[in-house]
Amino acid sequence: MQLEVYKTLRTLMEEKNVDAFDIMFNEVLKKFLENDMTREFYKISQGKETSLELRNLIVKLKGEKKSYSEIAKIVKKPRSTVQTIYRNYVMRGNVLNKSRCGRPHKLSDRDARAIVRKVKKNPKISAPKLADQIATASGKKVHPETVRRN
């Protein structure tokens, strides 16, 4: 299987014609997703966040003196993931995610739901009027564009 994938990738990398590349790539992707083993690998490699329960379980198992490989088999995650989760636990003292960068949302989820309710009640309401209503109700001054985004 690995040799077949390697050969296919080499062929794709050498292809100069963009249209031919697209056709070959789509065929390879279709083959890749038809195979149970490779489809499972594709799901794992999606970059999804590990659940909090699973991270706590990893720390608990490591506290029971299990090796990284044993824990990886139990939780069905790569050994490197298990190591990273435990290393972060040791360094930070918890298994929580670090806070993300970027500006915090001006409106809470509750405020966003309130906007949707008001628009459903009165679909013809303008964004500036809705922004004024939010400002009077919650005390948060928001731009009409912010209201449109929600």
Side-chain angles (χ1 to χ4, degrees), residues 1-138:
M1 177 69 185
Q2 287 178 326
L3 186 62
E4 185 182 328
V5 170
Y6 175 76
K7 286 179 181 177
T8 308
L9 287 175
R10 292 290 299 177
T11 307
L12 276 172
M13 289 171 63
E14 292 171 0
E15 185 57 53
K16 302 270 190 262
N17 185 342
V18 176
D19 295 329
F21 176 86
D22 286 342
I23 292 167
M24 287 171 59
F25 181 77
N26 288 330
E27 288 174 6
V28 168
L29 190 59
K30 196 185 322 179
K31 254 201 265 183
F32 187 77
L33 294 175
E34 284 173 359
N35 186 321
D36 290 340
M37 196 168 86
T38 54
R39 185 175 47 243
E40 199 59 38
F41 173 78
Y42 182 73
K43 284 181 189 174
I44 290 171
S45 65
Q46 288 293 304
K48 293 182 182 151
E49 220 168 63
T50 310
S51 70
L52 191 58
E53 294 82 23
L54 188 61
R55 284 181 270 164
N56 283 324
L57 176 63
I58 289 169
V59 170
K60 180 179 171 239
L61 291 171
K62 191 64 181 159
E64 294 172 1
K65 305 292 184 206
K66 294 214 183 286
S67 72
Y68 289 125
S69 299
E70 291 172 333
I71 297 170
K73 285 178 186 170
I74 292 169
V75 298
K76 296 186 174 105
K77 290 284 182 189
R79 182 187 47 77
S80 59
T81 300
V82 172
Q83 279 181 303
T84 302
I85 289 169
Y86 190 72
R87 184 181 334 114
N88 287 341
Y89 169 74
V90 170
M91 287 169 47
R92 292 192 219 132
N94 62 38
V95 292
L96 301 174
N97 292 324
K98 287 172 72 175
S99 61
R100 302 290 201 287
C101 61
R103 184 182 177 131
H105 290 274
K106 185 111 182 198
L107 298 173
S108 66
D109 290 341
R110 185 178 179 182
D111 294 331
R113 289 192 307 270
I115 290 171
V116 172
R117 276 195 308 274
K118 286 179 182 180
V119 170
K120 281 183 179 177
K121 205 181 269 187
N122 182 7
K124 296 199 184 261
I125 192 168
S126 68
K129 283 185 184 176
L130 200 51
D132 289 340
Q133 287 180 6
I134 292 166
T136 56
S138 67

